[in-house]
Amino acid sequence: MGWHLSELIAKHGVPGAQIAVLADGEIHDEAAGVLSLHTRVETTTDSVFKIGSITKVWTATLVQQLVNDRVLDLDRPVRDYLPGFRLSDPAATEILTARHLLTHTGGIDGNHFTDTGRNDDAIEKFVATLADADHLLLPGTLFSYSNSGYVVLGRLVESLRGKPFHDVLREHLATPLGLTTVATTTYEAILHRAAIGHVSADGELAPTKSWAVRYFSTPSGSHLAMSARDLLKFVHLHLTDPALAVLRVPQLASVPDFGGGVVGWGLGWMLYQDGVAGHTGVSKGQKAFLRVVPSAGVAVAVLTNSSGAAPMAYEILSTVLADLTDAVTTPLPVPPAASLPVDVERMCGTYRSTLYDRTLTVEDDRAFLIRRPRNELAKSLLGKSEERVEVVRLNDSAIITATPGLDGHQVLSLIGTDEDGRARFLHDGAAAYRVS
């Protein structure tokens, strides 16, 4: 391949990484760095990295297999398949479908974190807790990224296959495809050379103190790990099996801008410009990136053990796609050269999600986004009583952080209009609703 990965990880301060490229039916891969700054174990091409939310494409594939086997209809209510299924909103319970969940339009709280244990019944128990969780909107109303929604899909898979999610994934995907590095649980991961995530601590990267959150979130992206090569073997299935092409058919023609270059959504797949599909995964100090150009039969995967790996990954993705296809990778967002004033009347106010209240305010001609935790879990995640970040207007419907964080600048969209002409939602992939 036309780069030196060891030089790139040094340039971007990433402890370890793998790259794999699928072209002309062949996969080429490379690894560099270490799996942990603590153990200094070398990264190899058969090491396993967590793929985070790229897992959602695997979950969507298992769901589509159920459709192909004629045991699931994407447009029938979920309650028809899960006896006793209930959301806090009775109207939402009646109409929620698997298609809503696959496209993040189900309105289910995306940050409903409830520990239901480590056992095989954790997913079933978690889905039961949604009866008491906040429900943002009626299904079909608005795109709002929801990890919890994919847990419900995982429960559908379990219920209709009669086995725990990780067993279904292995039996229906990993084993038939001959994927030798796929680890569906922590118990399987320790049998491999497993990457450890790294996060910023006092200005420096340090290994995380845990490898994964509880088992309940496995279908949305908490546990699945593998090599970049095996990830692209899975992608090759999607490029060669016509029955899976439907997953890349656009379901949402557009989504709010949250800085990742996503312009639409399929059934599980993020859709980018120039016919590119893919997904990004974030988990416990690891970041994974997948881009696929079906028309060219090209795919690239970048797996890393750093929460700040996006700049390196985007450099690789843009280079590979430019060399092998006509597709262009949208660069990471940056503030406009000339700062634009925030539209106070439309944009400013307080927006609420389950975990946080976010207040957009202007002080002495400078705009700030203030995040305050709403519960003890949010306090533990934020680590302080409030977070204040300066922002500027990116365009007529979005703001962007003025100073880059570890992983670049963050974009948030302001969408919808209330009766007073103000934005109804502050959107960073998931929607927070205006409360004042």
Side-chain angles (χ1 to χ4, degrees):
M1 291 181 280
W3 59 74
H4 298 287
L5 184 55
S6 59
E7 295 177 3
L8 284 175
I9 64 171
K11 172 183 175 182
H12 292 279
V14 175
Q18 288 178 343
I19 304 172
V21 175
L22 168 64
D24 299 323
E26 296 186 359
I27 298 174
H28 304 273
D29 58 354
E30 184 179 348
V34 295
L35 298 175
S36 166
L37 290 175
H38 173 65
T39 64
R40 310 300 302 187
V41 173
E42 179 188 7
T43 304
T44 56
T45 54
D46 62 350
S47 299
V48 301
F49 287 73
K50 291 174 65 179
I51 64 169
S53 284
I54 297 175
T55 301
K56 291 181 174 67
V57 181
W58 293 67
T59 300
T61 304
L62 294 175
V63 170
Q64 185 60 40
Q65 288 177 337
L66 292 169
V67 174
N68 296 343
D69 291 344
R70 299 186 178 182
V71 296
L72 175 67
D73 183 335
L74 294 184
D75 297 308
R76 280 185 62 182
V78 169
R79 62 180 175 82
D80 289 356
Y81 301 99
L82 295 180
F85 176 74
R86 187 166 62 89
L87 300 169
S88 59
D89 183 345
T93 304
E94 291 294 313
I95 65 174
L96 181 74
T97 67
R99 191 181 302 275
H100 290 135
L101 298 173
L102 287 166
T103 57
H104 298 284
T105 57
I108 293 179
D109 174 20
N111 292 309
H112 179 63
F113 297 122
T114 300
D115 183 4
T116 53
R118 301 173 184 268
N119 297 326
D120 288 349
D121 61 357
I123 292 173
E124 179 180 8
K125 288 181 176 179
F126 176 85
V127 171
T129 71
L130 293 176
D132 299 317
D134 292 343
H135 198 87
L136 179 65
L137 292 164
L138 276 178
T141 303
L142 177 71
F143 170 87
S144 185
Y145 193 89
S146 176
N147 288 303
S148 301
Y150 267 74
V151 179
V152 177
L153 289 170
R155 180 57 192 152
L156 272 175
V157 169
E158 289 188 329
S159 181
L160 294 176
R161 293 297 187 195
K163 296 179 180 179
F165 180 83
H166 62 86
D167 286 340
V168 179
L169 189 148
R170 179 159 297 284
E171 292 179 17
H172 286 263
L173 289 174
T175 297
L177 293 173
L179 308 182
T180 58
T181 67
V182 167
T184 63
T185 67
T186 53
Y187 304 107
E188 292 179 354
I190 61 173
L191 302 177
H192 301 271
R193 299 167 69 96
I196 303 300
H198 294 76
V199 296
S200 179
D202 298 323
E204 295 186 0
L205 280 179
T208 58
K209 298 184 184 301
S210 61
W211 195 79
V213 296
R214 292 293 186 258
Y215 178 75
F216 79 84
S217 56
T218 298
S220 66
S222 65
H223 279 67
L224 191 59
M226 66 195 66
S227 66
R229 173 174 286 270
D230 271 2
L231 177 55
L232 291 195
K233 287 182 180 179
F234 165 77
V235 169
H236 188 258
L237 170 69
H238 278 262
L239 297 180
T240 56
D241 186 345
L244 297 179
V246 66
L247 297 180
R248 299 190 303 273
V249 175
Q251 304 291 305
L252 304 178
S254 64
V255 295
D257 180 13
F258 47 92
V262 180
V263 297
W265 220 276
L267 296 173
W269 287 94
M270 295 176 174
L271 304 179
Y272 303 82
Q273 65 178 2
D274 297 334
V276 177
H279 215 291
T280 298
V282 180
S283 58
K284 291 287 184 179
Q286 301 194 46
K287 282 206 168 182
F289 305 82
L290 174 65
R291 301 291 185 271
V292 185
V293 187
S295 61
V298 168
V300 55
V302 182
L303 307 185
T304 77
N305 60 356
S306 169
S307 59
M312 183 191 78
Y314 272 69
E315 181 175 341
I316 293 169
L317 294 171
S318 60
T319 299
V320 173
L321 294 186
D323 286 348
L324 297 179
T325 75
D326 294 327
V328 175
T329 301
T330 302
L332 288 171
V334 295
S339 296
L340 301 172
V342 165
D343 184 341
V344 175
E345 293 298 322
R346 170 169 164 73
M347 296 181 169
C348 286
T350 297
Y351 301 83
R352 176 163 293 173
S353 65
T354 302
L355 295 178
Y356 303 102
D357 278 345
R358 289 179 176 177
T359 299
L360 178 60
T361 184
V362 174
E363 303 171 4
D364 297 326
D365 295 325
R366 296 169 65 190
F368 295 90
L369 189 63
I370 304 168
R371 182 165 57 152
R372 297 184 177 93
R374 297 186 59 220
N375 51 45
E376 291 303 316
L377 173 60
K379 287 180 182 178
S380 67
L381 293 173
L382 190 61
K384 48 191 172 183
S385 60
E386 74 171 36
E387 175 188 66
R388 177 181 289 254
V389 179
E390 186 173 1
V391 297
V392 298
R393 198 175 86 188
L394 181 62
N395 52 49
D396 287 344
S397 59
I399 57 175
I400 185 171
T401 54
T403 303
L406 184 65
D407 218 15
H409 297 270
Q410 182 183 13
V411 173
L412 303 97
S413 288
L414 294 112
I415 61 174
T417 304
D418 68 9
E419 61 276 9
D420 297 317
R422 304 176 303 175
R424 291 183 62 201
F425 300 98
L426 181 68
H427 207 295
D428 62 355
Y433 59 93
R434 179 184 287 273
V435 293
S436 68

